[in-house]
Structures are given as structure tokens and as C-alpha cells.
Amino acid sequence: MMTEQELLTVLKSQLGDTIKYSNDDFASLNRTLFDSYNQEPYGNEQEGRSQVVASDHFDTVEADMPSLARIFLGSNKIMHFKPLGNEDHDEAQEKTEYAHYLIREQRDSFKTLHDWMKEPGFAKCGVVKFYPEDCEKPEFVTYEGLSEDELTAVMADLEGGDKVSRVEIESQEGVKGEDGERFNVHFRVVKKTKKITIANVPVESFIMTRGAKSKDDAIMIGDECVKRKGELVAEGYSKDLVKKLVPKGQTKSQMEQKRLAGQGGYDEKTGYHWTNDEVEIQYLYPLVDFDEDGIPERRMIVKCGEEILENEPYGIAPYAILSQILMPHTAIGKSRGEIAARAQKKKTAVERGIMDNIYAVNRPRLAVDDSRGSMDGGKVDLDDLMNHQIDGIVRVDGSPMQALMPLATPYIGNQALQIVQYLDASRSASLGNQLNSQGLSADKFYQETATRFEGVEDANFAKIELVARVYAETGYRQLFEGVIWTAQHYQDDAAEVMVLGKTLTVDPTKWRYEHYCQSDVGLGAGDTEEAIQNLAAQLSTQMMLLQSGSPIVDAKKVYNTLEDLTRAMGKPDASRYYNDPEIPEQMLMPMLEQAKLMVLQLQQQVQQNPLAEAELIRAQAKMAEVQGKETNSMRQFMMKMAQDDKQYAQKMRLELAKLAQEGSEFAATLAKEMTKLELEHGIDVPGSRV
């Protein structure tokens, strides 16, 4: 077993070979891309010349985001866990629903996923971390006028509350009451919550071994963050240990300073209280042979400076990494922003030239006769000439036509716009962006036919479709499989979550299988209308097969199509519109409604036409008899369902009992009317009492 000092030595060596600490190339490229996205000056600007910066990089990132948000942040399922066989179908479905709940339906899920997908546009990658979080949060409760017995009872009641770890008396004041001494008590109730957290990791804080082929292959992987000491105490670390931690310095990395520049910068928060002191924490997940058995294992180590706060085995590297362009044999690929940044630099040079040309055309230089034809040594008053006041006067000795001559600057805008359009076309070929200004001098550049324009549009979709597919098969798969692994290993009790308006009870301790996560992201980012058309055609085919009695389609298959069609239309919950044939309670309610309607119709017919033909009455009675049989069968089914849901079964039994009572009353009324008909008209009516 390694000593703590030996472990620190190993960690220092591993950290020295990471993308964060080995050299500044990775960080420098990220800063350059971030500046390019924000259209920061290049540093080669000249006084008095155009300093415009093109927006190609910004436009590319912002053009990508709507498609990515529609795919990954919309109503459609994006991943699912594939069953291994029939016996684990329910477990795979439960994992799918729970993973979507954890990843997409938390309070900050939208921004977390949005920022994760957007960062690879102006950095080499985007990273999120998933981990179990134990957190203690205090709540304060005050009671007044308590007797000793009531104080004891209140204390016991608070201690027995949900997720309460401890109850402390902050202050207690004794007061005299009519029946003896009473107490005003201020309680501190500490609740311990456990949840699976998904958080963004800034690229400048990400730690990974250089040259790693994947996150699981990395010898060292982790991240750094700044926390207040009070946060660490709330997470369960010893207060005495946390107070000894050395506060971080006042410096921030260049990337952090750039991020915070739009918020007025950053000042060190000191002087309030020791709980507000900030410390730099490293969450490290190295492969290290800590037990010295010759086999390196993944561990979780929480470190602050030379102090190790936590050290325990951990089965995975809890990070999900997104890159827009995959590169073979590397964990981190390329960014589309790298291509856009190069295009932006070229376009900036052209745009600056155009603007300088426009300035020169608007304010041309002048040739001045400076010969000694006057006592002041020239024919033009140079002070007047240099004053560019509108409607100003320039004094000239003699004829202005002879003393002044403008130096014509040719306008190059038309020719320059062709270069701009060429650069846009070149960028579009690389990134797939549409040419927003195709009309500029198109007749001089090239002609776009309708067919070719459709081809350009398809190519534009193909580029972003590939990015979406890469996101789904890399980062999102890592995230979905990771949160389920975390729940399976660290969630020790059942949880109830709301999924599409229904309560789902999830108990990861009962999961027994290792399922493969599969992408549900379609092949196209802009294929919503096409998907709706295809699903509608499929539904039409299914209905034709059902009507013909074909065995290859059933009600569940039709429901699956309707569910996919509903999601394609942007509605997340198909149960609002259709009943699932595999959920008995959804199918039972329509049957009950139909039975009630039939009883009501029969009652109305008897009341309105007591002399109706006997055959019609007999047919209606037969229908009631058949409905009664269906009701009896459904009652048996509901009795079986009661084993799993007693409350629901009780409700259904009441409904069925009510229906049976109504049926009995109707049968009695019907028999009475039949007897009356028989006695009055002397005909034999089946079902009469005589």
C-alpha cells in the first residue's frame, strides 16, 4: 500500500504529462479560438486604418446551434439502452427513461447541455462531468412556548424527517408560563441529500494525459475548480481540515480572465469570513497501483495543494467529451472553429481593404500648388484645407482649378465583393454553411441553378448531420452510460420520477444487466417534415393491413408509429392523444365509458318507446349480456392487478361495482317492461317474469 507521500509523488509525475500542465500549446489554441469567436482584434491594426474584424467564426457557431438544439434538446428520445433479450426488456426501458430524466429534465439541464455542445465551436472540445453528490443543507426552525415533553416530542419528530442527518439546538430561551417553565427553541435541521450531478467543465480546467486515445485509456484524467471552504464543509469534509487549507492566489488563468471580462472582471473575495475563502481543488481519476498488486486501478482522489481530502477506488472516468471533428487515435479531435477562424482571418484582410478604399474614395487626397506665388509661400491656405468642416471655406490665391487638383482613388468594391464571395464559397465547402449573400455580383461570379442550390443545401445539412452523429456516438453515449453506471453503483435506494406525466419508480439496486447504449438520433438535422411524411405513409400502410386482417401489424405497432409521429411534431407526450394498448388502465377506461353509454342508450329507448318490437329489445338485452361478460372478465383482471397497485384496483372495483349495479337495475326494469308487454298484448316476450 502506497503512503500518502508516495501517492503525491506519483500524481505530480502524472499531472506533468497532461494537456493542462505539460505545455501551453493546448491552452494557447483554445484562447486563440475564443478570441476569434468574440471577434477580438488581431494585434496588427494600424492607427487611422480600418480595424473591422469579420464574423465568420461567430456566424458558424451560431448557425450550428439551432440544429443541434433541435436534435438534442427537443422532445425526441436521443439514446436508448438496447435489451439483450426478452427477460431484460423492462430493465433496459427503465434505464432509458431514468437516464433521460437525469440528463434532460433537471432544473439546469438545458443550459448545461447547450453550453456543452456549443463550447467545441470555439475550443478543442467540450466536457461535462457526472458524479454522485452528497450535500448537507441546513434549515432553521423556531418553536415558542414548548414544555419539556413537547420539546422532546418536537426533537424526535424533526429527527425522523425525510433525509434528516442531524438536529441541533442553536439557541434555547426559558420563559415562565402559567403551568410552569416554557422554552423558545431555535433548531438547526441538517438534511443530507444525494443526487447525480451533471456539470460543465471549462476546457481550461480539464486535465487529461497527452496522447490518450480515449478517456478510458488516459493514465490521468480530472479537472480543477475553485470552491469556497464553506462548500467543502457542506459536502461533508472535516471543518478543522478545511480551515487549514491554503487559500488560492489572486491570479486567474488567461482563459478565465477572458471569460469574466464581460462581467466586469474578477476580484479576489477575501476578508468576509474563513468560510468564504476560495481554495483550488483538483478532482483526479488516475490509473495508479495504489495497493501495489501490480495492476493499476482507476481511483478518485480529491486534492488541495499537498493535502489529499479523499482517496477511494472508482470504476470509470466520469467525463463525457465532445469534439466536432473526430481524428483517428486521439481522444480530442478538431473544432469547426479552427476552420472558421482561418477563413475569418482572410476575410478580415479583404474587408479592411474594402473599408480603407471606401474611406479613400470618400475623402480623396489633393494635389496643392505650393509655388511661391504669394507672400505666404503658396496659393492655398493649408489651414483651411486641413479643416474638414462641412460647408467650410478654403481660401485660394487665384483660380481654384489651378491651385487644387483631387487625386482620384479608384473604387474596388465590386471586384472585392467577388473575392468575399469566393471566400464564403470556400468556407461553405469546408463547413457547410449556406452562402448568405449569394446575390452579390452573382452574374459576374457564377450562375446558381435551382438544382445546384438544392445540392448546396443538402451539403449544408450533411455537415451538421455529421456533427450531430459524432456528438451522439461519442459524448452523449458516454454521458448516458455514465449516469446509469453511477446510479447503479452509488444510488442505494429507490427513486420516484415523473416521466411523461406518470410516476416511474426506479431502483438501481435491482438492475442486473450491462446494457449497450444506442443512438436514436436520425441521419438528418433538417428532416422533420420528411420524417412526418414518412411516418404518415407508414401509418396508412399499417391501417390497410389491419383492415385486411394481416397478422404482421397489431395495435401496439400502430401505437409505436403514432408515438414517433407525435414526437416528430414536437409533442413529447403521446399519452395525451393516444392510449397505449400495453397499459391496461389506459385501455380499461374507454371500455367503461362505452359500457356506461350503452346502458344509458338502452334506458332512453325503453323510456321513449315501451312498445318497441320484442326482437329489438331481445337484441339489446343480448348486447347487455355480452357487455356484462366483458365486465366480469375485466373485474377478474383488475383483481389480479391489485397485487401491484391496490389503490388503483380498489378504484376500479368501485367503478365496476357501480356499473354492475346499474346493469342490475336496468335488467330489473327491462324484465318489468317485458312482463307488462306480455300481459297487455298477449304475446310471448323472452325474459319476462311470467
Side-chain angles (χ1 to χ4, degrees), residues 19-36:
I19 56 176
K20 180 174 177 62
Y21 293 108
S22 61
N23 56 59
D24 194 48
D25 292 345
F26 183 78
S28 176
L29 179 56
N30 286 322
R31 290 194 297 268
T32 300
L33 291 176
F34 193 68
D35 286 344
S36 175

Side-chain angles (χ1 to χ4, degrees), residues 471-518:
Y471 275 14
E473 299 292 347
T474 56
Y476 271 94
R477 173 175 291 168
Q478 295 167 8
L479 180 57
F480 271 77
E481 292 179 348
V483 296
I484 290 301
W485 182 93
T486 305
Q488 197 164 359
H489 288 78
Y490 289 93
Q491 183 174 324
D492 51 10
D493 56 355
E496 287 190 355
V497 299
M498 293 296 295
V499 178
L500 300 180
K502 296 176 292 187
T503 301
L504 174 67
T505 301
V506 179
D507 189 356
T509 61
K510 296 182 179 179
W511 292 342
R512 295 291 179 266
Y513 299 92
E514 294 292 334
H515 289 105
Y516 170 74
C517 195
Q518 197 169 53

Side-chain angles (χ1 to χ4, degrees), residues 404-468:
L404 296 171
M405 183 181 70
L407 299 176
T409 300
Y411 175 65
I412 62 171
N414 292 331
Q415 295 81 356
L417 287 178
Q418 294 184 23
I419 299 176
V420 171
Q421 192 162 10
Y422 166 76
L423 293 176
D424 284 340
S426 177
R427 184 195 63 185
S428 179
S430 300
L431 298 174
N433 291 334
Q434 284 292 330
L435 299 178
N436 296 323
S437 56
Q438 288 192 35
L440 289 177
S441 304
D443 54 335
K444 298 180 181 180
F445 195 51
Y446 58 74
Q447 295 294 330
E448 283 284 8
T449 64
T451 303
R452 191 183 190 287
F453 183 82
E454 290 178 0
V456 172
E457 186 177 22
D458 291 341
N460 173 58
F461 286 146
K463 296 289 185 178
I464 195 63
E465 286 164 12
L466 180 58
V467 173

Side-chain angles (χ1 to χ4, degrees), residues 143-191:
Y143 286 87
E144 296 181 353
L146 296 178
S147 66
E148 290 188 6
D149 292 340
E150 290 173 338
L151 176 59
T152 303
V154 168
M155 190 82 169
D157 184 59
L158 292 175
E159 290 175 344
D162 186 31
K163 298 180 181 179
V164 173
S165 61
R166 64 182 184 275
V167 177
E168 302 169 351
I169 296 178
E170 285 283 295
S171 63
Q172 179 175 323
E173 179 185 1
V175 294
K176 291 183 179 181
E178 296 180 356
D179 55 350
E181 188 176 16
R182 294 278 176 167
F183 301 95
N184 295 336
V185 186
H186 190 57
F187 292 98
R188 183 174 187 264
V189 182
V190 180
K191 292 187 175 182

